[in-house]
Every structure is written in structure tokens, then in C-alpha cells.
Amino acid sequence: MCRALTVVLGVALSALVMCTELTGYARAQNTATITPSFSPDRLGAKGALTLRIHYTGGEFGVPSPVRRSVVKFAAGLGLDIPTLRSCSAARLRAHGVSGCPAPSRIGSGHALVEAHLGSQLVTEDIALAVFLGPLQNFQPTFEVLGEGYSPLRERVVLDGTVIPDRAPYGEELVIDIPPIPTLPLEPEASMATLTLTIGTSTHRLAHGANTVVVPGSCPAGGFPFAGEFTYADGSTGSALVSAPCP
């Protein structure tokens, strides 16, 4: 069992937020909201965790891109990985999903990215896949693959490092997010919405599936999460959120 529950959101990851206090440009304030859910929603269960995140703010209604994300997860949450396999960022960049062994995949999802190009707002749907990466200093890592096809064909891989954290959190995921290019001399793309599922929900659970393990007990007030974020416009944000007890 790998006792590490991390996601990107990320990317992609990139952030876990319910309410955010930000410093920086008041006229381009960045905010984000998140709705976490478990399937099944039961203490001690094996299944999936889904995160739905929506970003707002920024000039022209496009939020500033996230440059660095530090996400803290509730103590006790974990991943059950029956067959421990990993996939490197280099293989994902070169071959995409097909370049990695199936047991190394621990999640999937999709994102909507936006960019203000000239006088137009351009949007693109991005398919996401999350893989267990190689150990780094004996700590788990994760790779988040994002692929878009229209109007811009793009493949991005985000590297996440997991380190232990203090109570009431168990671990934190640190992700440095590179720019997402669009067209020459035009602004980079920003994340607008993100839906990411880690593990496998009950109705799809099969032998050997990678699953999220919900703790057997829930602290008063729910499972706590926190995040600290740095945006490309120089602003920073912090957030606290609790997922309700099952």
C-alpha cells in the first residue's frame, strides 16, 4: 500500500480551494472554489476521490495561471496500489498514455483552459491522466499528463513531489507548473475548470484496481485540506476547506 493521496490538479494540477485570500492586483484578483466527493461516501471504504475546481478572476475574465501549488491532504487518506508500477515524465512526454504500464495509472479527468488572444477568448478541453512516478528520496511522486487537440495541439506533463506534513494533515503535494503556450507573441493559457478523479469508484471496481482509501474515522468538522498558491501575475493565495464526514 502506498500511503500517499495526491493530485494535481493541480495540475494540473494545481489547487484545492473553497475560499481564497489573495495579495496582489486588486483589479485582477484570482479566486477558486472546489467540491470534493468520495465514491463510495463511506468511512473505511476503497474507491475514488473526485475534485471539481473552478477558477475565476484575472484581466478579461481569464484567471492568472498558477505557477506553484502546495496542497495539503487530510491525515489518514491514502492510495491502495496492489501492483506497484511507475511511469516517468520522459515516457509520458514522448509516448503519452500508451507509453506507461496500465497499473501505474491512478486517475483521470478533464480541464478547460482559456486564453485571451487578440480580441477573442479561446477555450480548449484538456484530457488528464495521473500516474505514479518514480520514488524521489524515498518519497512518492506523481505525473499529470494533459493533452489538448483543438484548436491547439499541446501535451504537458506536470511533476508532483510528496512530502510528510504536520497534523491535521498527512502529506503535501508540491507542484511547479510551467507556462502553457498558445500562439507566438500571445498570452499563455490559464486553467478555468478542472475535474479530476483519483482511484476507482465502486461501480467500476475490479480486482487489482488502484483505489483511494478513506480513513475509518472522521475528525470533527470533516476532512481538512489546505493550499498555498503562487500566480503568474505575482499574487499569492491560501485556502482552507473541509470535506464533510461520510
Side-chain angles (χ1 to χ4, degrees):
M1 176 179 292
C2 176
R3 303 299 298 178
L5 176 63
T6 52
V7 187
V8 143
L9 323 118
V11 170
L13 156 351
S14 25
L16 284 178
V17 245
M18 179 67 80
C19 60
T20 309
E21 294 181 1
L22 296 172
T23 60
Y25 304 105
R27 65 184 178 88
Q29 189 177 50
N30 303 293
T31 61
T33 59
I34 180 173
T35 304
S37 61
F38 294 100
S39 177
D41 191 17
R42 187 175 69 247
L43 293 177
K46 292 183 178 182
L49 168 64
T50 296
L51 302 174
R52 296 180 176 89
I53 306 172
H54 179 59
Y55 299 89
T56 60
E59 294 182 301
F60 306 110
V62 178
S64 181
V66 177
R67 282 286 181 265
R68 182 176 175 85
S69 172
V70 180
V71 181
K72 301 172 182 287
F73 291 86
L77 288 175
L79 280 175
D80 185 13
I81 304 178
T83 304
L84 192 60
R85 298 290 300 275
S86 65
C87 186
S88 68
R91 290 194 64 84
L92 282 171
R93 291 188 182 97
H95 306 290
V97 172
S98 62
C100 295
S104 67
R105 184 166 179 169
I106 60 172
S108 61
H110 59 88
L112 179 69
V113 298
E114 297 178 339
H116 199 271
L117 307 180
S119 61
Q120 293 185 331
L121 179 65
V122 177
T123 63
E124 180 168 3
D125 287 312
I126 303 294
L128 302 174
V130 185
F131 295 84
L132 185 67
L135 289 177
Q136 183 174 341
N137 297 324
F138 301 102
Q139 296 295 334
T141 67
F142 291 87
E143 313 291 350
V144 182
L145 171 68
E147 291 187 294
Y149 301 96
S150 177
L152 301 171
R153 187 174 184 86
E154 189 69 39
R155 176 181 290 171
V156 178
V157 179
L158 305 180
D159 303 312
T161 303
V162 183
I163 58 177
D165 204 356
R166 299 177 181 177
Y169 310 106
E171 292 162 327
E172 66 179 33
L173 170 65
V174 181
I175 300 178
D176 290 314
I177 304 170
I180 303 174
T182 55
L183 299 175
L185 304 179
E186 293 288 355
E188 63 186 274
S190 299
M191 188 78 68
T193 61
L194 166 72
T195 300
L196 191 65
T197 297
I198 301 299
T200 308
S201 60
T202 303
H203 68 279
R204 299 178 57 188
L205 198 59
H207 178 72
N210 297 325
T211 57
V212 168
V213 181
V214 181
S217 61
C218 183
F223 294 111
F225 297 89
E228 299 173 356
F229 316 104
T230 302
Y231 295 88
D233 64 6
S235 65
T236 60
S238 61
L240 297 173
V241 61
S242 293
C245 293

